[in-house]
Amino acid sequence: MNTWIDEARSAVRAAQAYGETVRAQVAARVAPDGKPDARLLAQEQHAVHGFGWLAATLAALEATCDWAARAAAAGQFGEIEALTLRIGFGEYCAQLTSGVAMSANEIVRPAAFGTDDAARALAADQAVARFLADGNTAETRARLAVLLAQGARPDEALGDDTLDLVRAQFRAFTAETITPRAHQWHLDDALIPAEIIAEMAALGVFGVCIPEAHGGLGLGKLAMAVVSEELSRGWICAGSLGTRAEIAGELISENGTPAQKAHFLPRIADGSCLPTAVFTEPDTGSDLASVRTRAERQADGSWRVTGAKTWITHAARADLMTLLVRTDANAPGYPGLSMLLAEKTRGSDADPFPDAGIAGSEIPVLGYRGMKEYALGFDGFAVAGDALLGGVEGQGFKQLMRTFEGARIQTAARAIGVAWNAFDLALDYAQSRKQFGEPLTAFPRIADKLALMAAEIVMSRELTYYAARAKDRGTRCDIEAGMAKLLAARTAWIAADNAVQVHGGNGYALEYPISRVLCDARILNIFEGAAEIQAQVIGRGLLTAQAA
């Protein structure tokens, strides 16, 4: 079976060479002078975004090959791992050579890059050809589906006893505390109960990456990814509770004054201070340079905030807002932006926003309900004079950008959890539901769905872990984090959509949890950077790096 690992290494090398050919072709169109041109990037968006998707697909192959090699070194590369590798490589090699899906009806073909001949050469490569012929086949999918139905799962060991224990602990907590109650919370459109938040805080959810010196666990981004994945496997909102703590914790740890770190980090870590991220505005979306919410200094040194924000998660129950504002009205774009650590009073159902100068209205949503979304209006909202993050104006955008790597890794991990949730529900239903006297798992189209779900989840998971490990090494990984988020969000949506199909009509019924998972999965392609933005960032980033 290890010969498949050797074939995977060879296929990766061939795919990397093809990726370089695509990069050169796209660069010739959008960077004729070596540096990407903004006008040409917009004009060639299909090719640029397609290159981003292709690069993410290639990165997933590389990460999956590394996973297989680690499993083999640990003596854990058995039949199910070999099948997962073969099916995943067979499918993704086929996509590289014939077309990568950017959405359900946007397929980027080799012709979009002008690389038809190079794609044919890739398909003819000996290792790639073997995966195309013998990787993702009816026989391999059927066998993998049988093993999955018997309870086997592809290796998930992390090579670290502490991290493996973290996974086991949070998987057990989620199975016992989150999963049995999540669907009713969703149907009730209820906030996650305070006692659940307290239990999560006691387990260290909110301080995973906060340094031990400030009351956190200091475990790093890979541990954070594992925790987020396991909690999201029960309900995305459980996994997402840690997102705001992750963003606020990193902002303050990396940029805060000693007094700000001492004041906020221990309280975030122990769950007594629930933060929320307040960045997006009604007319700006991903264009943060256009943020207009103003913060003006008063004679006593305090700030007064005026403006509007939207899509603010968990806003009413939060105690701290990481608030992106314009402190210099004369400095357009990013230089005029600053980050405030704005404390507020925790609201209640009866009075969600009790402080003067702030009002909020709930935004009803399809899914992702456990924390609620709000549009906020600020009218002279008072913020303490020492709330300026780091004590320096004009650094807000730079401070925020440095958190995006961790936030996108965390979002990718949430997507992996959602995808496993969909898989679990689909498999359980397919095993228990009979048609024409046979369980649904006996039908090839159902078995195919389950096998492909599992293979693609493993590939997206390993890309996510790859980005997390890079972040933990202190390596810049904005491109890798974006790739992980891009691919994992698509994986979650495909898994949820197919799981609904496995359920048939029952999948459309509110009483079945898969209806919730479908709604939850859809948001992943939008928040923390919409798929189109992610593909643009990846494509432009890779072209810029090469030019440098």
Side-chain angles (χ1 to χ4, degrees), residues 20 72 84 109 146 184 238 244 254 358 361 398-399 455 520:
E20 175 55 27
T84 300
R109 311 283 185 193
V146 167
Q184 194 58 53
R244 271 128 291 282
E254 297 294 325
I358 180 173
S361 57
K398 292 180 181 178
Q399 293 166 341
D520 290 344

Side-chain angles (χ1 to χ4, degrees), residues 241-447:
L241 270 172
T243 306
R244 271 128 291 282
E246 170 68 20
I247 293 171
E250 186 164 357
L251 276 170
I252 298 168
S253 293
E254 297 294 325
N255 307 286
T257 65
Q260 288 169 341
K261 293 177 184 179
H263 178 67
F264 287 111
L265 292 178
R267 296 166 57 218
I268 293 172
D270 69 17
S272 60
C273 175
L274 298 178
T276 187
V278 186
F279 310 141
T280 305
E281 296 190 356
D283 298 322
T284 62
S286 298
D287 182 15
L288 292 178
S290 299
V291 162
R292 291 185 290 181
T293 297
R294 305 186 314 278
E296 298 175 325
R297 278 281 195 188
Q298 305 301 297
D300 64 358
S302 66
W303 300 90
R304 291 295 183 273
V305 178
T306 303
K309 297 287 186 177
T310 193
W311 293 111
I312 310 305
T313 305
H314 216 198
R317 197 157 56 175
D319 307 292
L320 170 68
M321 297 180 289
T322 50
L323 178 57
L324 188 66
V325 294
R326 189 165 297 283
T327 53
D328 187 349
N330 296 318
Y334 302 129
L337 298 178
S338 300
M339 189 72 69
L340 296 181
L341 302 176
E343 295 187 80
K344 59 178 281 294
T345 302
R346 186 179 297 196
S348 63
D349 289 341
D351 190 6
F353 297 97
D355 294 315
I358 180 173
S361 57
E362 186 181 345
I363 303 171
V365 289
L366 291 171
Y368 195 57
R369 290 178 171 181
M371 295 172 289
K372 296 187 181 291
E373 303 293 324
Y374 292 90
L376 301 182
F378 297 96
D379 185 8
F381 176 69
V383 179
D386 60 357
L388 185 66
L389 180 62
V392 182
E393 288 190 45
Q395 299 299 305
F397 181 75
K398 292 180 181 178
Q399 293 166 341
L400 181 58
M401 287 301 101
R402 288 193 286 268
T403 71
F404 277 3
E405 292 178 348
R408 285 171 179 160
I409 291 168
Q410 207 257 10
T411 299
R414 286 185 284 171
I416 301 305
V418 170
W420 278 126
N421 193 355
F423 170 84
D424 293 339
L425 292 169
L427 179 58
D428 286 348
Y429 188 85
Q431 288 179 299
S432 62
R433 179 77 168 180
K434 289 190 175 181
Q435 291 285 285
F436 309 107
E438 297 281 352
L440 292 181
T441 49
F443 296 91
R445 285 293 305 282
I446 302 300

Side-chain angles (χ1 to χ4, degrees), residues 415-478:
I416 301 305
V418 170
W420 278 126
N421 193 355
F423 170 84
D424 293 339
L425 292 169
L427 179 58
D428 286 348
Y429 188 85
Q431 288 179 299
S432 62
R433 179 77 168 180
K434 289 190 175 181
Q435 291 285 285
F436 309 107
E438 297 281 352
L440 292 181
T441 49
F443 296 91
R445 285 293 305 282
I446 302 300
D448 283 352
K449 288 177 174 60
L450 295 168
L452 285 165
M453 274 188 223
E456 192 162 22
I457 292 169
V458 168
M459 298 182 83
S460 295
R461 181 191 72 193
E462 292 308 314
L463 179 55
T464 300
Y465 291 175
Y466 176 84
R469 289 185 176 103
K471 183 71 171 174
D472 284 338
R473 291 193 302 269
T475 304
R476 180 177 175 178
C477 62
D478 54 332

Side-chain angles (χ1 to χ4, degrees), residues 50-312:
F51 172 49
W53 275 100
L54 183 142
T57 303
L58 174 54
L61 289 172
E62 295 168 351
T64 305
C65 186
D66 289 346
W67 161 78
R70 286 195 307 274
Q76 297 299 317
F77 191 77
E79 182 184 13
I80 192 167
E81 287 75 26
L83 288 167
T84 300
L85 181 71
R86 290 172 63 182
I87 292 168
F89 261 68
E91 175 57 29
Y92 277 22
C93 284
Q95 291 185 25
L96 289 177
T97 57
S98 61
V100 177
M102 297 191 290
S103 71
N105 63 352
E106 294 174 288
I107 313 297
V108 59
R109 311 283 185 193
F113 309 122
T115 57
D116 283 325
D117 290 343
R120 282 191 286 270
L122 175 62
D125 174 86
Q126 181 177 349
V128 172
R130 188 177 181 198
F131 278 112
L132 292 175
D134 299 322
N136 182 19
T137 67
E139 291 76 20
T140 56
R141 293 192 301 271
R143 179 57 184 160
L144 179 56
V146 167
L147 294 176
L148 293 167
Q150 291 173 350
R153 295 292 181 271
D155 183 54
E156 60 184 13
L158 290 153
D160 182 302
D161 290 343
T162 296
L163 293 177
D164 289 337
L165 286 172
V166 167
R167 184 192 295 283
Q169 179 184 36
F170 279 93
R171 181 168 295 176
F173 170 78
T174 299
E176 180 180 344
T177 308
I178 303 297
T179 302
R181 304 166 69 184
H183 197 55
Q184 194 58 53
W185 289 333
H186 165 81
L187 293 176
D188 293 342
D189 196 10
L191 290 167
I192 295 180
E195 60 269 22
I196 300 298
I197 295 178
E199 289 186 55
M200 293 172 64
L203 288 171
V205 170
F206 306 119
V208 172
C209 295
I210 290 175
E212 289 183 90
H214 291 294
L217 300 179
L219 289 177
K221 303 302 181 184
L222 183 55
M224 175 269 294
V226 171
V227 170
S228 300
E229 176 188 336
E230 292 301 330
L231 290 171
S232 298
R233 194 166 184 165
W235 191 21
I236 189 176
C237 294
S240 296
L241 270 172
T243 306
R244 271 128 291 282
E246 170 68 20
I247 293 171
E250 186 164 357
L251 276 170
I252 298 168
S253 293
E254 297 294 325
N255 307 286
T257 65
Q260 288 169 341
K261 293 177 184 179
H263 178 67
F264 287 111
L265 292 178
R267 296 166 57 218
I268 293 172
D270 69 17
S272 60
C273 175
L274 298 178
T276 187
V278 186
F279 310 141
T280 305
E281 296 190 356
D283 298 322
T284 62
S286 298
D287 182 15
L288 292 178
S290 299
V291 162
R292 291 185 290 181
T293 297
R294 305 186 314 278
E296 298 175 325
R297 278 281 195 188
Q298 305 301 297
D300 64 358
S302 66
W303 300 90
R304 291 295 183 273
V305 178
T306 303
K309 297 287 186 177
T310 193
W311 293 111
I312 310 305

